[in-house]
Structure formats: structure tokens, C-alpha cells
Amino acid sequence: RPLFESDRALELMNMFDHSVGVWMYREGPSVVDSMIRKWQGDFFSISKKVESDSKGQGRLEPSIDEIRTKAEPATIAEQYARYWVLRNSIPEEKGLVSDTRMTFLSYRKLASDPAASVAHIMKTAGLSGVWSDFRADARTDRIDHEPQLDIEEGTRDRMRTIYQSLDKQGDRTFSL
């Protein structure tokens, strides 16, 4: 989900009895590479439309503005990498990692074994099995691709640290 909902995950789960959440995550450089290929330099203007409330106000706009301002005149890759850091810092900052209703699933795990991943999500949600029409195939052609991007080393280090933390949560929640 967009950042606008991600930071409200606990609030949203608390609105519904027996709710569960799934935090999907993917290696930062791969996400940044995808963002650049899909949006070029337009991601922030496009995401503002998605991450704004009914009055057009982006509650997280100050954070995104800071990414863009601090990053000036940094590359688009650096700005998108900082967005990835902001978004994927949410589980730790908002206490999602300690909430037993939240399951963490890496894109790598999902792409490697979609049927088992979805079966686990269904089990976590109190449902059994995987629906009969579920296609257990995944596009894995870029899963091991290492994009060459102009991202500052400090940002890369932060991305690796956050990813490792999310992976630790993924290992924990998928072993339950």
C-alpha cells in the first residue's frame, strides 16, 4: 500500500475485529530501479494524488518534501531510496514488528514460493487452503538483478539495515 495507509496500519487493523496485516517488502535498490523505470522522475507528483486525503492534503507531505529538499541536488535514485527508507522504517517506528497480527513477507519469498506464501497468509487470516484458481507462478526474471544506481553509501547502508530487520521479522512470522 502507499505510505499514506502504511503508517496507519495499526489504526486500520484496530478498526476491524480479527484483522491481520501483511507487510510486503523488497530489496531497496530493486524497488528504486522499478520506480525509475515506471515513473522516471514523476513518482512524487503521482504519489501525492494517492497519498492525499479527501481534501487533497498530504499528511506525510512534510516528510516527502524533506526527502526532496535534503536530497537536492541529489539524483532521482537517491530521492527514491530515501522514500524507501521512510516507508520501510514504519514497522519499527509504529510498533508493527511487535504486533502479532502483522505478517512480514519478502518479495523474494513470495516470488520463490507463491503457493506456500499465500497459504501462510490464508492460515494467518484464519482461512484454510489457497483458492482453486490461484496461479502459483511468479515473475522472477529480475529477482537477482543488481541495479547500478547513484545512491549515496549512507543511504545504501540504511536500506540494507532496514531490509535485514524486515527479513528477521519475515523469518519470525513465517515460522509461526
Side-chain angles (χ1 to χ4, degrees):
R1 297 298 313 147
L3 180 59
F4 192 69
E5 287 94 6
S6 301
D7 77 313
R8 297 181 65 199
L10 286 179
E11 178 185 344
L12 293 169
M13 286 192 306
N14 288 337
M15 294 173 82
F16 304 97
D17 292 337
H18 313 292
S19 64
V20 296
V22 178
W23 189 277
M24 292 287 304
Y25 60 97
R26 185 175 171 206
E27 289 95 341
S30 295
V31 172
V32 171
D33 185 54
S34 291
M35 291 170 76
I36 291 170
R37 284 186 294 109
K38 185 172 185 178
W39 307 110
Q40 292 84 39
D42 297 327
F43 173 76
F44 291 114
S45 60
I46 293 167
S47 71
K48 182 178 179 182
K49 295 174 184 174
V50 176
E51 296 176 352
S52 297
D53 61 21
S54 61
K55 297 177 184 169
Q57 300 298 311
R59 164 175 113 254
L60 300 169
E61 233 171 292
S63 298
I64 292 172
D65 286 344
E66 185 177 329
I67 288 170
R68 298 183 80 192
T69 306
K70 265 186 161 176
E72 294 294 338
T75 64
I76 292 297
E78 177 65 23
Q79 291 180 35
Y80 290 177
R82 290 179 185 194
Y83 178 85
W84 185 95
V85 167
L86 174 67
R87 183 182 189 286
N88 286 285
S89 295
I90 290 171
E92 190 68 42
E93 291 173 2
K94 299 289 183 175
L96 297 174
V97 294
S98 60
D99 194 303
T100 58
R101 299 172 297 173
M102 185 63 69
T103 293
F104 293 84
L105 175 61
S106 73
Y107 175 78
R108 183 174 293 278
K109 185 179 294 261
L110 176 64
S112 299
D113 196 349
S117 297
V118 171
H120 179 80
I121 291 168
M122 300 290 280
K123 179 181 170 191
T124 301
L127 303 169
S128 60
V130 176
W131 55 97
S132 60
D133 292 331
F134 177 71
R135 288 183 46 205
D137 60 342
R139 196 176 129 211
T140 59
D141 58 321
R142 295 184 61 85
I143 201 161
D144 291 319
H145 172 71
E146 288 290 333
Q148 300 302 308
L149 301 166
D150 189 10
I151 299 173
E152 295 173 11
E153 195 54 42
T155 304
R156 283 184 184 276
D157 289 344
R158 184 76 179 119
M159 292 170 91
R160 274 190 291 272
T161 299
I162 292 168
Y163 184 83
Q164 288 168 352
S165 174
L166 290 170
D167 232 14
K168 181 177 174 184
Q169 295 308 317
D171 290 345
R172 179 187 60 80
T173 58
F174 263 75
S175 66
L176 299 177

